[in-house]
Amino acid sequence: MRLLIVEDEKRLALSLAKGLTAEGYAVDVVHDGLEGLHRAGEGVYDLVILDIMLPGMNGYRVCAALRAAGHDVPILMLTAKDGEYDEAEGLDTGADDYLTKPFSYVVLVARVKALLRRRGTAGASPVRVVGDLKVDTAARRVFLTEREITLTAKEFSVLEQLVVRAGEVVSKSDILEHVWDFAYEGDPNIVEVYVSTLRRKLGAHLIKTVRGAGYRLEAG
Ligand code: CA
């Protein structure tokens, strides 16, 4: 899961990013409304956390522009305490939820998870089964023939990208985009390292290499 934070208060943005990264999300941060619109418009994010008072373009206009362009990414708006903009106004522009500053980090994480879960269950069950493998994308738990397998947050995120598109070829760059943030400047072959760890933990047969194209998760 990849999240975008659009927030010009840099300390707040960075502490949110740090916390959400520790939860296992890939997190990108921008501090300007126009840049936020540009990034979110790339369509690679699973959720956007959007402040209202921003340089460049305010959060309402960013949200409205994304909706007008047909993007349905969940948007959590951060509103100011002074009620300069009210809740109804935030929801009218197409935001999915709002949070009034100052908020507790625990509440923010709960709202993020609820929005991602709502989105996940709107289309399909959060539990994906492929052969002997069962992945609960909401609880972030993995079972192989009913035995729970312990994965790190990053290992889970890589597996999640494969399992939600089971039977399809998923390219290394798709996995990189969704699991690592744009500040990652290391070797893109890191994906191979994670896939080989997953094969070791889950058995070599589940994740097929499709030469020159990527990986495909399939039963048997
Ligand atoms: Ca602000």
Side-chain angles (χ1 to χ4, degrees):
M1 291 282 180
R2 187 167 172 184
L3 314 184
L4 177 67
I5 297 174
V6 189
E7 166 63 82
D8 59 323
E9 288 169 50
K10 292 190 176 159
R11 285 184 58 183
L12 174 62
L14 293 177
S15 81
L16 291 181
K18 202 172 159 198
L20 289 165
T21 302
E23 298 281 331
Y25 301 111
V27 182
D28 294 334
V29 177
V30 295
H31 305 298
D32 174 277
L34 276 173
E35 199 182 346
L37 176 61
H38 172 71
R39 288 274 177 196
E42 289 172 358
V44 301
Y45 295 101
D46 299 291
L47 182 131
V48 177
I49 297 172
L50 182 60
D51 187 33
I52 289 173
M53 297 300 284
L54 288 165
M57 183 187 249
N58 78 44
Y60 285 133
R61 291 185 54 204
V62 172
C63 185
L66 284 169
R67 295 301 185 235
H71 292 289
D72 63 352
V73 60
I75 295 176
L76 172 59
M77 287 265 215
L78 304 181
T79 70
K81 190 187 176 189
D82 59 17
E84 189 172 359
Y85 298 94
D86 68 19
E87 166 194 335
E89 199 176 346
L91 296 172
D92 276 346
T93 57
D96 296 272
D97 199 1
Y98 66 94
L99 203 52
T100 306
K101 290 178 181 177
F103 49 80
S104 91
Y105 174 71
V106 175
V107 170
L108 175 95
V109 172
R111 296 289 188 87
V112 164
K113 286 186 174 168
L115 280 174
L116 291 170
R117 200 159 48 233
R118 204 193 296 167
R119 180 175 173 82
T121 52
S125 159
V127 178
R128 305 296 176 102
V129 178
V130 179
D132 292 339
L133 178 72
K134 188 166 88 177
V135 178
D136 185 333
T137 58
R140 299 178 76 79
R141 297 175 75 185
V142 177
F143 301 86
L144 195 63
T145 55
E146 301 303 318
R147 185 169 58 93
E148 181 154 17
I149 307 292
T150 307
L151 299 182
T152 66
K154 273 278 191 283
E155 288 163 5
F156 182 88
S157 297
V158 171
L159 178 64
E160 182 179 41
Q161 290 306 311
L162 294 167
V163 82
V164 297
R165 291 171 61 189
E168 292 174 37
V169 178
V170 184
S171 72
K172 261 190 240 174
S173 61
D174 276 359
I175 296 171
L176 259 186
E177 268 183 8
H178 282 92
V179 177
W180 279 269
D181 53 48
F182 66 61
Y184 179 75
E185 285 173 355
D187 186 348
N189 290 323
I190 184 87
V191 174
E192 284 173 23
V193 175
Y194 278 85
V195 166
S196 73
T197 307
L198 287 170
R199 282 177 174 147
R200 202 175 63 241
K201 290 187 173 181
L202 304 173
H205 61 288
L206 274 168
I207 305 173
K208 310 279 188 294
T209 298
V210 183
R211 250 189 131 71
Y215 301 100
R216 183 171 58 226
L217 184 77
E218 60 187 18

